[in-house]
């Protein structure tokens, strides 16, 4: 219960806080405390992180805003008033539960979380230029250096990938170090995966509602008509020179050959007949 700070008591309505779900490290964080005074005058608003008060707004005081130093919290005085407090350049040490207390009503509180966001888009590794049905497609998505690790999701032709085709893991985080998130998709390419002879693979990384980045790559279907045929095996031929002679010269050679052979042939024929006669 909050205590009344003025003579008598008064009632507050609709007390609630508006606080960002997450804040990137180094960016300002605005925490609002909303309430309805029902026409009464405000006495003061106190702001706490955990059990420690770090800021107070009292409209009757001069100046009305007072700041109580806490490690990791630097209040922007010019951007703080009765309804909100602004923390400059949020750091990891600003993480915690924040409470606002407005006069005679219960305090409202929520938890603020400070985050380190990746400095680059998610990276895709392993996609080949061309695939054909029956080939294995395996691609890894990596989101580096964040706190907490990014959530990674795969899409195939703009449709969420099947869960049985995707594996996730993280590394880092020791002693307050940043995390790296990994996600791998693997499946056997089928004909239906190709849309207009292409497959689109997209990886999206997000952290709460303050970070969302995607990386998409496209691969083509391998066309069997354009496949280069192997060069046929060839054998070397050995050519020998041919000496061509004129027709007249050929006939003269044949005549000379006949004149040389005929006497011998006639003698052989006579001897054969002689032996037969005997």
């Amino acid at each position: 219960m909050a205590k009344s700070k003025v003579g008598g008591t008064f009632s507050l309505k609709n007390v609630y806080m508006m606080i960002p779900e997450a804040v990137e490290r180094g960016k300002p964080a605005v925490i609002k405390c909303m309430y309805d005074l029902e026409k009464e005058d405000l006495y003061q608003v106190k702001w706490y992180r955990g059990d420690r008060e770090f800021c107070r707004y009292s409209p009757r005081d001069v100046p009305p805003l007072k700041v109580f130093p806490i490690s990791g919290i630097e209040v922007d005085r010019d951007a703080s008033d009765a309804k909100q407090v602004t923390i400059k350049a949020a750091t990891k040490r600003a993480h915690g539960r924040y409470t606002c207390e407005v006069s005679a009503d219960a305090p409202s509180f929520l938890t603020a979380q400070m985050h380190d966001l990746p400095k680059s888009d998610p990276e895709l590794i392993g996609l080949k230029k061309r695939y054909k049905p029956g080939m294995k497609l395996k691609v890894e998505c990596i989101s580096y250096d964040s706190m907490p690790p990014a959530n990674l999701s795969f899409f195939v032709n703009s449709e969420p990938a099947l869960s049985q085709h995707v594996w996730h893991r993280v590394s880092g985080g020791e002693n307050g170090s940043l995390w790296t998130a990994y996600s791998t998709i693997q499946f056997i390419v089928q004909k239906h995966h190709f849309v207009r002879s292409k497959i689109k693979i997209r990886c999206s990384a997000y952290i709460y509602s303050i970070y969302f980045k995607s990386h998409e790559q496209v691969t083509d279907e391998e066309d069997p008509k354009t496949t280069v045929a192997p060069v046929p095996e060839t054998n070397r031929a050995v050519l020998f020179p041919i000496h061509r002679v004129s027709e007249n010269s050929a006939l003269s050679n044949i005549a000379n050959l006949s004149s040389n052979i005929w006497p011998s042939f006639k003698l052989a024929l006579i001897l054969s007949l002689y032996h037969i006669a005997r």
Side-chain angles (χ1 to χ4, degrees):
M1 296 289 293
K3 296 180 291 184
S4 171
K5 299 297 182 179
V6 294
T9 61
F10 63 90
S11 174
L12 292 173
K13 282 186 176 182
N14 303 323
V15 180
Y16 64 95
M17 293 184 70
M18 296 177 61
I19 188 168
E21 180 183 23
V23 180
E24 181 180 358
R25 181 177 295 186
K27 302 291 185 179
V30 179
I31 304 173
K32 296 184 178 182
C33 186
M34 312 304 293
Y35 48 86
D36 181 2
L37 291 173
E38 291 192 325
K39 298 181 180 180
E40 298 287 347
D41 295 329
L42 175 67
Y43 178 66
Q44 68 180 6
V45 179
K46 291 183 177 181
W47 299 87
Y48 296 85
R49 187 191 68 181
D51 297 329
R52 294 187 60 182
E53 181 183 3
F54 68 91
C55 187
R56 180 187 303 174
Y57 185 88
S58 303
R60 294 184 177 85
D61 293 346
V62 180
L65 189 72
K66 292 184 176 65
V67 176
F68 308 100
I70 291 181
S71 177
I73 297 179
E74 183 181 359
V75 175
D76 186 345
R77 294 174 179 270
D78 295 332
S80 301
D81 53 31
K83 291 283 188 177
Q84 70 177 39
V85 63
T86 301
I87 300 175
K88 292 182 179 179
T91 66
K92 185 177 179 180
R93 288 181 297 175
H95 174 87
R97 189 183 74 171
Y98 287 81
T99 304
C100 72
E101 183 181 287
V102 187
S103 295
D105 204 339
S108 174
F109 63 86
L110 288 173
T111 299
Q113 298 181 0
M114 308 305 167
H115 298 290
D116 287 291
L117 302 183
K119 302 302 180 184
S120 59
D121 294 351
E123 180 179 349
L124 284 175
I125 300 174
L127 188 67
K128 299 178 182 179
K129 292 183 178 180
R130 291 180 177 83
Y131 288 87
K132 63 181 179 181
M135 292 181 65
K136 181 174 69 175
L137 184 149
K138 183 178 181 181
V139 179
E140 186 173 51
C141 179
I142 307 175
S143 180
Y144 296 98
D145 299 337
S146 65
M147 177 70 76
N151 292 293
L152 302 178
S153 298
F154 267 109
F155 297 83
V156 180
N157 298 324
S158 300
E159 296 292 334
L162 298 178
S163 59
Q164 61 265 34
H165 294 164
V166 181
W167 295 266
H168 303 282
R169 65 185 179 90
V170 296
S171 65
E174 295 86 4
N175 300 319
S177 64
L178 300 180
W179 294 86
T180 294
Y182 303 85
S183 185
T184 302
I185 183 171
Q186 178 177 308
F187 60 90
I188 301 300
V189 175
Q190 305 294 334
K191 186 64 179 178
H192 67 82
H193 288 126
F194 294 99
V195 178
R196 296 177 183 175
S197 300
K198 297 182 182 297
I199 301 177
K200 294 181 181 179
I201 302 295
R202 183 173 81 245
C203 177
S204 297
Y206 66 93
I207 299 176
Y208 295 110
S209 60
I210 61 173
Y211 176 85
F212 183 85
K213 296 289 184 180
S214 292
H215 185 184
E216 184 176 87
Q217 291 183 358
V218 180
T219 182
D220 296 318
E221 182 177 10
E222 184 177 295
D223 187 353
K225 295 181 181 180
T226 61
T227 304
V228 179
V231 178
E233 183 179 355
T234 58
N235 296 320
R236 297 181 61 185
V238 180
L239 301 179
F240 296 94
I242 300 175
H243 177 65
R244 293 184 178 274
V245 296
S246 65
E247 184 177 353
N248 293 334
S249 178
L251 293 174
S252 177
N253 291 336
I254 293 173
N256 292 333
L257 180 61
S258 299
S259 62
N260 292 331
I261 295 176
W262 179 245
S264 300
F265 176 75
K266 288 193 295 182
L267 177 59
L269 180 59
I270 292 170
L271 291 175
S272 297
L273 292 175
Y274 172 76
H275 286 290
I276 293 173
R278 291 185 63 184

